[in-house]
Amino acid sequence: MCLSVPMQVESWVGDGEIAWLVRGERREQANMLLVGPQPVGTWVLVALGFAKEVLDAESLALTEEALAALAATLDGEYDPDAWFRDLASRPAA
């Protein structure tokens, strides 16, 4: 399984196929061919060294919430009433 992580474009390397991305203390290069050249400051979803999707503010917030819920679960602190309340009212699929 591959987990995609939001990262922010910090700068470009060379001709624009590779960018430096940051997330907190983490800094890495990623291939940007799937999303094209993006302005510095843009948030993208990254997996296995490839930016695969440009994130708008709403998508970024939802992704960060999901990652926080995952971290809480792994720490043994998941509270189903605190996370994804919007899903509780949806009918089961």
Side-chain angles (χ1 to χ4, degrees), residues 25-80:
E25 301 286 320
R26 181 177 176 180
R27 185 173 187 255
E28 64 183 60
Q29 288 185 348
N31 185 305
M32 301 291 284
L33 286 176
L34 295 175
V35 297
Q38 299 297 319
V40 170
T42 301
W43 284 89
V44 293
L45 204 54
V46 179
L48 301 172
F50 286 87
K52 62 182 203 169
E53 182 179 340
V54 176
L55 296 174
D56 60 23
E58 183 180 356
S59 296
L60 176 61
L62 289 171
T63 303
E64 292 292 357
E65 182 180 9
L67 290 172
L70 175 61
T73 300
L74 293 173
D75 290 340
E77 300 172 1
Y78 179 75
D79 176 5

